[in-house]
Every structure is written in C-alpha cells, then in structure tokens.
Amino acid sequence: APAGETLTVEDLSVHYGGVCAVRSISFTVAPGQSVGIIGANGAGKTSTLKALMGLVPRSGGRVRYGGTDLAKVKARDVVRRGIGYVPEGRHVFPGLPVEKNLMLGAYARSWRDPGTRETLEEVYDLFPVLREMRGRLAGALSGGQQQMLAVGRALMARPRLLLLDEPSMGLSPKLVEDILAVLLRLREEGLSLLLVEQNAKLTFEATGDCVVMENGEVAMTGTSRELREDVRVRRIYLGL
Ligand code: ATP
C-alpha cells in the first residue's frame, strides 16, 4: 500500500450541548505508525474517532491529514482521502450477503473500477472465512466473523490509515487473538492504524505508541512498551 500522510490532531475538543466529551487533545499518526488510544468507558475515545471522521462536530482544534484540513471535508470524502473507519459495534448490514457488505465498503470507488475485484480477493485472502461465507447473510455470522467483515469492508476502500473503534468488544479471548493477528498483519503491510480500545493488553501488543484518555483528556502518552510497564497503567488498565 502507498505510504499515506500524517494525521495531526491539535487541541481537538468535542461537546454535546454543555457536556465536554473531549477536551483539547493532541496526537499524531505518521505513515506506517500504529497508535492506540486506551481509556475506560466514557473517556471520550469514540467521540475522538467520530470527530476525526466528521461524524460529530468539533467544538475546537484542528485535524489535518497531510496538507488537508479535515474540518472542510465530509465523512465520505474523508474515506476518499484514504482514511478507513471501523465503527464500534460493527454495524454490518445483517440482511445482505457477506460479499454485498464488502462491496458496499468500496462505495467511495467506482464499482466498475477493475481494482475493486482485486481488493475483494485481497480481503478474502486476509479473511478466508469470509470467502467461505461470501453468499451467507451477514446476520448469520458469529460476532467474531462480523467483526472481520467490518474490518474487511473498511479495507475495500483501500485506506492508508485505518481507524478502529473497539474491535475486541464482546469477543472471546481466542477471537481477540485473531483480531490481534489481523492488526499485526495490516501493520506489516504498511497500513497506519489508530486503534481505540478498552482492552489495554491487546492495544499494547498491536501498537507502537499509545495515548491514555481519562475524562476527555490525554492523561499519559508514551511508547506502548513504556506504558505497559508503568505502575499506574498496570494497576488501572491491566488489572495487575
Ligand atoms: P465507550 O467505551 O462507551 O465507547 P468512549 O471512551 O468512547 O466510551 P465516548 O463515547 O466518546 O467515550 O463518550 C464520552 C462522553 O460523552 C461520555 O460522558 C458520554 O456519556 C458522552 N456522550 C457521548 N455521546 C453523546 C451524545 N450523543 N450526547 C451526549 N453525550 C454524549
């Protein structure tokens, strides 16, 4: 995959009415870098990703992807610029077949683009179970398979930066291992990742750098290796 651009988040804030969900947070994701955001339920992680995608309004700050100011770009044009998004809770279309769900991920490209078929085969190579299930309704898949489908669907737009919102949610430890293997493989292929998770253990294994969010703010940043050894992080986020 081509290298992509640097995502630069500066002093980003998100308010819902009078409630501040994200307070002036800053971080960057360079091409090929894998960055995690960990935090408890309600820390502001989902709001951060939604604000990057233009799905909730920003109340302050700047978000740039390379030279582009994302404040001026609509959600589907964010995808066109190479940023993919896997929302929390998967949101696959249960009444549509697996392959149709995947093809819908290519909506930002032309369906006649001959590359779309090629990308579909790449996604099937990454997730052989989706190839086996290509004709089945998405609603008939297990939770883990639906998560793979949600990731595969985002990959159909050929992103260079992938935002993932709690891909491990509700999955068994075995399936969390499968998600980790997929994330490591995507990293190896040069995709940049921004992974939002409550599962700190998974995040430290999948990323090189992390942001810890508490009450809408950045509480700590560092390399994933440093943070996983931090006494406070171990106590609060790893339960050790
Ligand atoms: P989760 O683990 O639930 O995804 P999170 O860290 O992603 O948590 P957010 O979902 O971003 O956190 O929520 C941050 C804060 O904003 C919380 O206090 C939440 O109650 C509040 N919030 C989120 N969405 C809305 C909304 N649509 N309207 C009002 N308040 C909201």
Side-chain angles (χ1 to χ4, degrees), residues 16 19-22 39-48 88 165-166 196 198:
Y16 299 104
V19 179
C20 184
V22 177
N41 200 353
K45 308 179 303 295
T46 295
S47 298
T48 299
E88 186 173 19
D165 196 348
E166 284 197 43
V196 156
Q198 289 195 47

Side-chain angles (χ1 to χ4, degrees), residues 90 142-148 167-182 202:
R90 303 164 201 138
S142 70
Q145 290 164 348
Q146 288 188 21
Q147 186 63 63
M148 302 297 179
S168 80
M169 194 173 60
L171 300 186
S172 69
K174 162 76 180 73
L175 291 171
V176 172
E177 285 298 314
D178 292 350
I179 291 282
L180 174 63
V182 166
L202 164 68

